[in-house]
Amino acid sequence: MNPFIPEGLFPVSGASPETTNGAKTADYISLKNAEMCWAVVYMTQAVGHATAITVERATDVAATGTVAIANAVPIWYGNMTTTSSQLAAQTDAVSFTINVGVTGDVMIIFQIDPANLGSTFDCITVKAANSGQATNFWSVLYFIKPRYQSKVASMTATEFLVD
Amino acid sequence: MLSFPENLLIIPGSAPVVGAAAEITSIPISLKNVQKLWAVVYVNTVGTSAAIACVPQTDALVAFGSATVLAHAVPIWSSQAAATSDLWTRETDAVNFATTADALHKMVVFEIDPSNFMTTATAASSDDCFRISLTAVAAGDYCAIFYIVLPRYISKSDTRTYITD
């Protein structure tokens, strides 16, 4: 993988920073021209809450047929502090729920292989359950390894936010 | 071949935070074992439509007792309508960047090469630590900052911490 950002590892907006006081859905993105996608969920858990984060698949970016992914995916998790920035690989799963006792900065990464979404699905999103806490926040940033790197470097039209 | 996030690391910069009409600074990171860093600033100005000035800073220690702005311009990209367009614009190299004053979601990428930390155009700096200052994020606006790190020693990337000196 070319490590250069944004040419080689392409960031796409999922959910701009906002409160999780209310159920949230990140933007659906199309992975038709992606080789791999990492959905990075970065959260502030000011108040401990067992917030469930799920990945769903759909057949278009309008969310047609949206449903939880069927195949477990690699997940990394870290409860960041001022002295630790480590992430730990978790058991592969289709979702991740933060421990209710966890507060502070939380990062969760889902590695999504488009080939494992199922034959009719090429779009994904990430959803957060309602935390009921106005001071708990999330943001979602997708990092995409493009199928055609040269195309991404020179693209002139939106690629991943449309079908 | 690099793998994400094992070799190309993602480090916490600033978890999502709401502004309070005051400066917000990201977590200082030591770049002594880093080849290159990309800092991704992610802002939601839906509350006030205010511009946000993003100012990279360096220091000798992660305690950041004497923050210094960059002496050399760095590559910058922006995506200033990120909810509807995933296009990135290559901006003019600079030592800081201010977002457009509107309510659209925005992302800004700074590419940081630690070997270019200089006190003047020709004098190398002893600084090897980095953070980003967002000056006066308005109340009701949100921001988050992600660091992506290309480590100097790939084999140690899974055990090393970057937020201590």
Side-chain angles (χ1 to χ4, degrees):
Chain A
M1 173 163 59
N2 175 342
F4 287 90
I5 298 170
E7 302 97 324
L9 188 62
F10 195 78
V12 176
S13 173
S16 201
E18 62 180 346
T19 177
T20 53
N21 186 16
K24 299 295 177 183
T25 301
D27 288 339
Y28 283 82
I29 59 168
S30 170
L31 300 183
K32 66 183 185 298
N33 287 318
E35 193 172 313
M36 193 70 76
C37 172
W38 292 268
V40 180
V41 183
Y42 197 9
M43 305 179 72
T44 298
Q45 294 290 90
V47 180
H49 179 265
T51 309
I53 309 295
T54 57
V55 180
E56 294 198 0
R57 56 184 179 163
T59 56
D60 59 33
V61 295
T64 301
T66 190
V67 65
I69 54 174
N71 295 326
V73 299
I75 299 172
W76 290 264
Y77 163 79
N79 181 202
M80 312 301 188
T81 68
T82 55
T83 57
S84 172
S85 58
Q86 301 282 340
L87 295 169
Q90 307 293 304
T91 303
D92 289 8
V94 298
S95 64
F96 185 86
T97 300
I98 300 167
N99 190 302
V100 68
V102 169
T103 58
D105 300 357
V106 169
M107 190 173 283
I108 305 159
I109 300 177
F110 297 92
Q111 178 177 304
I112 311 295
D113 184 343
N116 282 337
L117 288 178
S119 60
T120 60
F121 295 93
D122 65 0
C123 298
I124 64 156
T125 189
V126 178
K127 294 187 173 183
N130 181 0
S131 73
Q133 300 294 335
T135 54
N136 286 6
F137 307 134
W138 87 327
S139 60
V140 180
L141 194 53
Y142 302 113
F143 285 93
I144 292 176
K145 181 183 178 186
R147 188 182 301 268
Y148 309 107
Q149 187 175 313
S150 59
K151 184 177 179 183
V152 170
S154 60
M155 69 190 213
T156 57
T158 293
E159 180 75 25
F160 299 104
L161 288 170
V162 298
D163 291 309
Chain B
M1 176 151 170
L2 294 171
S3 185
F4 184 80
E6 295 98 332
N7 307 131
L8 194 62
L9 304 174
I10 184 161
I11 308 289
S14 171
V17 62
V18 66
E23 178 189 33
I24 291 173
T25 57
S26 62
I27 298 170
I29 179 173
S30 170
L31 304 185
K32 66 182 184 297
N33 289 313
V34 170
Q35 284 188 60
K36 194 158 284 194
L37 164 79
W38 291 267
V40 183
V41 181
Y42 200 4
V43 298
N44 177 354
T45 51
V46 70
T48 67
S49 299
I52 293 181
C54 311
V55 183
Q57 298 176 334
T58 68
D59 201 348
L61 300 170
V62 294
F64 251 85
S66 55
T68 305
V69 299
L70 297 176
H72 274 191
V74 298
I76 299 171
W77 290 261
S78 75
S79 177
Q80 301 211 59
T84 55
S85 169
D86 51 36
L87 293 178
W88 286 85
T89 300
R90 180 68 166 86
E91 304 290 348
T92 303
D93 289 9
V95 297
N96 55 50
F97 184 81
T99 63
T100 305
D102 62 36
L104 302 178
H105 297 171
K106 298 173 180 63
M107 295 189 290
V108 180
V109 172
F110 293 92
E111 181 179 309
I112 305 296
D113 183 341
S115 66
N116 279 340
F117 287 173
M118 312 288 269
T119 53
T120 67
T122 56
S125 167
S126 59
D127 288 0
D128 64 3
C129 297
F130 176 86
R131 73 177 184 186
I132 287 190
S133 165
L134 305 180
T135 54
V137 177
D141 291 347
Y142 297 84
C143 69
I145 298 174
F146 301 72
Y147 297 137
I148 311 297
V149 164
L150 178 63
R152 187 182 301 270
Y153 307 108
I154 300 291
S155 61
K156 293 183 177 179
S157 60
D158 59 341
T159 56
R160 192 180 294 283
T161 181
Y162 292 86
I163 57 177
T164 58
D165 288 312

Coordinates of all heavy atoms in Angstrom, one line a residue, chain A residues 34-82:
Chain A
A34 N -13.1 0.2 -4.4 CA -12.2 0.1 -3.2 C -11.6 -1.3 -3.1 O -12.4 -2.3 -3.3 CB -12.9 0.5 -1.9
E35 N -10.4 -1.4 -2.7 CA -9.8 -2.7 -2.5 C -10.0 -3.1 -1.0 O -10.2 -4.3 -0.7 CB -8.3 -2.7 -2.9 CG -7.7 -4.1 -2.9 CD -6.3 -4.0 -3.5 OE1 -6.1 -3.3 -4.5 OE2 -5.4 -4.6 -2.9
M36 N -9.9 -2.1 -0.2 CA -10.1 -2.3 1.3 C -10.6 -1.0 1.9 O -10.2 0.1 1.4 CB -8.9 -2.8 1.9 CG -9.0 -3.3 3.4 SD -9.9 -4.9 3.4 CE -8.6 -6.0 2.8
C37 N -11.4 -1.1 3.0 CA -11.8 0.1 3.6 C -11.6 -0.1 5.1 O -12.0 -1.1 5.7 CB -13.3 0.4 3.3 SG -14.0 1.7 4.3
W38 N -11.1 1.0 5.8 CA -11.1 0.9 7.3 C -12.0 2.1 7.8 O -11.8 3.2 7.4 CB -9.7 1.2 7.8 CG -8.7 0.0 7.4 CD1 -8.4 -1.0 8.2 CD2 -7.9 -0.2 6.3 NE1 -7.5 -1.9 7.6 CE2 -7.2 -1.4 6.4 CE3 -7.8 0.6 5.1 CZ2 -6.4 -1.8 5.4 CZ3 -6.9 0.1 4.1 CH2 -6.2 -1.1 4.3
A39 N -13.0 1.7 8.6 CA -13.9 2.7 9.2 C -13.3 3.0 10.5 O -13.3 2.1 11.4 CB -15.3 2.2 9.2
V40 N -12.8 4.2 10.7 CA -12.2 4.6 12.0 C -13.3 5.4 12.8 O -13.7 6.5 12.4 CB -11.0 5.4 11.8 CG1 -10.3 5.8 13.1 CG2 -9.9 4.7 11.0
V41 N -13.7 4.9 13.9 CA -14.7 5.5 14.8 C -13.9 6.1 15.9 O -13.3 5.4 16.7 CB -15.8 4.5 15.2 CG1 -16.8 5.3 16.1 CG2 -16.4 3.8 14.0
Y42 N -14.0 7.4 16.1 CA -13.2 8.1 17.1 C -14.3 8.8 18.0 O -15.0 9.6 17.6 CB -12.3 9.1 16.5 CG -11.2 9.7 17.3 CD1 -10.9 9.1 18.6 CD2 -10.4 10.7 16.8 CE1 -9.8 9.6 19.3 CE2 -9.3 11.2 17.6 CZ -9.0 10.7 18.8 OH -8.0 11.2 19.5
M43 N -14.3 8.4 19.3 CA -15.3 8.8 20.2 C -14.8 9.5 21.5 O -13.7 9.2 22.0 CB -16.2 7.6 20.6 CG -16.7 6.9 19.4 SD -17.7 5.4 19.9 CE -19.2 6.2 20.5
T44 N -15.6 10.4 22.0 CA -15.4 10.9 23.4 C -16.5 10.4 24.2 O -17.7 10.7 24.0 CB -15.5 12.4 23.4 OG1 -14.4 12.9 22.5 CG2 -15.3 13.0 24.8
Q45 N -16.2 9.5 25.2 CA -17.2 9.0 26.1 C -17.0 9.8 27.4 O -16.4 9.3 28.4 CB -16.9 7.5 26.4 CG -17.1 6.6 25.2 CD -18.6 6.5 24.8 OE1 -19.1 7.3 24.0 NE2 -19.3 5.5 25.4
A46 N -17.6 10.9 27.5 CA -17.5 11.7 28.7 C -18.2 11.1 29.8 O -17.8 11.1 31.0 CB -18.1 13.1 28.4
V47 N -19.3 10.4 29.5 CA -20.1 9.6 30.4 C -20.1 8.1 30.0 O -20.4 7.9 28.8 CB -21.5 10.1 30.5 CG1 -22.3 9.3 31.6 CG2 -21.5 11.6 30.9
G48 N -19.8 7.2 30.8 CA -19.7 5.8 30.4 C -21.1 5.3 29.9 O -22.1 5.6 30.5
H49 N -21.1 4.7 28.8 CA -22.3 4.1 28.2 C -21.9 3.0 27.3 O -20.9 3.1 26.5 CB -23.0 5.2 27.4 CG -24.3 4.7 26.7 ND1 -24.3 4.3 25.4 CD2 -25.5 4.6 27.2 CE1 -25.5 3.9 25.1 NE2 -26.3 4.0 26.2
A50 N -22.7 2.0 27.3 CA -22.5 0.8 26.4 C -23.0 1.1 25.0 O -23.9 0.5 24.5 CB -23.1 -0.5 27.0
T51 N -22.3 2.0 24.4 CA -22.7 2.4 23.0 C -22.3 1.3 22.0 O -21.2 0.9 21.9 CB -22.1 3.7 22.6 OG1 -22.3 4.7 23.6 CG2 -22.6 4.2 21.3
A52 N -23.3 0.8 21.3 CA -23.1 -0.2 20.3 C -22.8 0.4 18.9 O -23.5 1.4 18.5 CB -24.3 -1.1 20.1
I53 N -21.7 0.0 18.3 CA -21.3 0.5 17.0 C -21.4 -0.7 16.0 O -20.9 -1.8 16.2 CB -19.8 1.0 17.0 CG1 -19.6 2.0 18.1 CG2 -19.5 1.6 15.6 CD1 -20.4 3.3 18.0
T54 N -22.2 -0.5 15.0 CA -22.5 -1.6 14.0 C -22.1 -1.2 12.6 O -22.2 0.0 12.3 CB -24.0 -2.0 14.1 OG1 -24.8 -0.9 13.8 CG2 -24.3 -2.6 15.4
V55 N -21.8 -2.1 11.8 CA -21.5 -1.9 10.4 C -22.6 -2.5 9.6 O -23.0 -3.6 9.8 CB -20.2 -2.5 10.0 CG1 -19.9 -2.2 8.5 CG2 -19.0 -1.9 10.8
E56 N -23.2 -1.7 8.7 CA -24.3 -2.2 7.8 C -23.8 -2.1 6.4 O -23.0 -1.3 6.0 CB -25.6 -1.5 8.1 CG -26.1 -1.7 9.4 CD -27.6 -1.3 9.6 OE1 -28.2 -0.9 8.6 OE2 -28.2 -1.5 10.7
R57 N -24.5 -3.0 5.6 CA -24.2 -3.0 4.1 C -25.5 -2.7 3.4 O -26.6 -2.9 3.9 CB -23.7 -4.4 3.7 CG -24.7 -5.5 4.1 CD -24.2 -6.9 3.7 NE -25.2 -7.9 4.2 CZ -25.2 -9.1 3.7 NH1 -24.2 -9.6 2.9 NH2 -26.1 -10.0 4.2
A58 N -25.4 -2.1 2.2 CA -26.5 -1.8 1.4 C -26.2 -1.9 -0.1 O -25.0 -2.1 -0.4 CB -27.0 -0.3 1.7
T59 N -27.2 -1.8 -0.9 CA -26.9 -2.0 -2.4 C -26.7 -0.7 -3.1 O -26.3 -0.7 -4.2 CB -28.1 -2.7 -3.0 OG1 -29.3 -2.0 -2.8 CG2 -28.2 -4.2 -2.5
D60 N -27.0 0.4 -2.4 CA -26.6 1.7 -3.0 C -26.4 2.7 -1.8 O -26.7 2.4 -0.6 CB -27.6 2.2 -4.0 CG -29.0 2.4 -3.4 OD1 -29.2 2.7 -2.2 OD2 -30.0 2.1 -4.1
V61 N -25.9 3.9 -2.1 CA -25.6 4.9 -1.1 C -26.9 5.6 -0.5 O -26.8 6.3 0.4 CB -24.6 6.0 -1.5 CG1 -23.3 5.4 -1.8 CG2 -25.2 6.8 -2.7
A62 N -28.1 5.2 -1.1 CA -29.3 5.7 -0.6 C -29.8 4.7 0.5 O -30.9 4.9 1.0 CB -30.4 5.8 -1.7
A63 N -29.0 3.7 0.8 CA -29.3 2.8 1.9 C -30.3 1.7 1.6 O -30.9 1.1 2.4 CB -29.8 3.5 3.2
T64 N -30.5 1.5 0.3 CA -31.4 0.4 -0.1 C -31.0 -0.9 0.4 O -29.8 -1.3 0.2 CB -31.5 0.4 -1.7 OG1 -32.0 1.6 -2.2 CG2 -32.5 -0.7 -2.1
G65 N -31.9 -1.6 1.1 CA -31.6 -2.9 1.6 C -30.7 -3.0 2.7 O -30.0 -4.0 3.0
T66 N -30.5 -1.9 3.5 CA -29.5 -1.8 4.5 C -29.8 -2.9 5.6 O -30.9 -3.0 6.1 CB -29.4 -0.4 5.1 OG1 -28.3 -0.3 5.9 CG2 -30.7 -0.1 5.9
V67 N -28.7 -3.5 6.0 CA -28.8 -4.6 6.9 C -27.4 -4.8 7.5 O -26.4 -4.5 6.9 CB -29.3 -5.9 6.2 CG1 -28.3 -6.4 5.2 CG2 -29.6 -7.0 7.2
A68 N -27.3 -5.4 8.7 CA -26.0 -5.6 9.3 C -25.1 -6.5 8.4 O -25.7 -7.4 7.7 CB -26.1 -6.3 10.7
I69 N -23.8 -6.3 8.4 CA -23.0 -7.2 7.6 C -23.1 -8.6 8.1 O -23.3 -8.8 9.3 CB -21.5 -6.7 7.6 CG1 -21.0 -6.5 9.0 CG2 -21.4 -5.4 6.8 CD1 -19.5 -6.2 9.1
A70 N -22.9 -9.6 7.2 CA -23.1 -11.0 7.6 C -21.8 -11.6 8.1 O -21.9 -12.6 8.8 CB -23.7 -11.7 6.4
N71 N -20.7 -11.2 7.6 CA -19.4 -11.8 7.9 C -18.6 -11.0 8.9 O -18.5 -9.7 8.7 CB -18.6 -12.0 6.6 CG -19.2 -12.9 5.6 OD1 -19.9 -13.9 6.0 ND2 -19.1 -12.7 4.3
A72 N -18.1 -11.6 9.9 CA -17.3 -10.9 10.9 C -16.1 -10.3 10.2 O -15.5 -10.8 9.3 CB -16.9 -11.9 12.0
V73 N -15.7 -9.1 10.8 CA -14.5 -8.4 10.2 C -13.5 -8.1 11.3 O -13.9 -8.1 12.5 CB -15.0 -7.1 9.6 CG1 -16.0 -7.3 8.4 CG2 -15.6 -6.1 10.6
P74 N -12.3 -7.9 10.9 CA -11.2 -7.5 11.9 C -11.6 -6.2 12.6 O -12.0 -5.3 11.9 CB -10.0 -7.4 11.1 CG -10.2 -8.3 9.9 CD -11.7 -8.1 9.6
I75 N -11.4 -6.1 13.9 CA -11.7 -4.9 14.7 C -10.5 -4.6 15.6 O -9.9 -5.5 16.2 CB -12.9 -5.1 15.5 CG1 -14.2 -5.4 14.6 CG2 -13.2 -3.9 16.4 CD1 -15.4 -5.9 15.4
W76 N -10.2 -3.3 15.7 CA -9.2 -2.9 16.7 C -9.9 -1.9 17.6 O -10.8 -1.2 17.2 CB -8.0 -2.2 16.0 CG -7.1 -3.1 15.2 CD1 -5.9 -3.7 15.6 CD2 -7.3 -3.5 13.9 NE1 -5.4 -4.4 14.6 CE2 -6.2 -4.3 13.5 CE3 -8.3 -3.3 12.9 CZ2 -6.0 -4.9 12.3 CZ3 -8.1 -3.9 11.6 CH2 -7.0 -4.7 11.4
Y77 N -9.4 -1.9 18.9 CA -10.0 -1.0 19.8 C -9.0 -0.4 20.8 O -8.0 -1.1 21.1 CB -11.1 -1.8 20.7 CG -11.5 -1.1 22.0 CD1 -12.4 -0.1 22.0 CD2 -10.9 -1.5 23.2 CE1 -12.8 0.5 23.2 CE2 -11.3 -0.9 24.4 CZ -12.2 0.1 24.4 OH -12.6 0.7 25.6
G78 N -9.1 0.8 21.2 CA -8.2 1.4 22.1 C -9.0 2.5 23.0 O -9.8 3.2 22.4
N79 N -8.7 2.4 24.3 CA -9.2 3.5 25.2 C -8.0 4.4 25.5 O -7.2 4.0 26.3 CB -9.8 2.8 26.5 CG -10.3 3.8 27.4 OD1 -10.4 3.6 28.6 ND2 -10.7 5.0 27.0
M80 N -7.9 5.5 24.7 CA -6.7 6.3 24.7 C -6.6 7.1 26.0 O -7.6 7.6 26.5 CB -6.7 7.2 23.5 CG -7.0 6.5 22.2 SD -5.9 5.2 21.8 CE -6.4 4.8 20.1
T81 N -5.4 7.3 26.4 CA -5.1 8.2 27.6 C -3.9 9.1 27.2 O -3.4 9.0 26.0 CB -4.7 7.3 28.8 OG1 -3.4 6.8 28.6 CG2 -5.7 6.2 29.1
T82 N -3.5 9.9 28.1 CA -2.4 10.8 27.8 C -1.1 10.0 27.7 O -0.1 10.6 27.3 CB -2.3 11.9 28.9 OG1 -2.1 11.2 30.1 CG2 -3.4 12.8 28.8

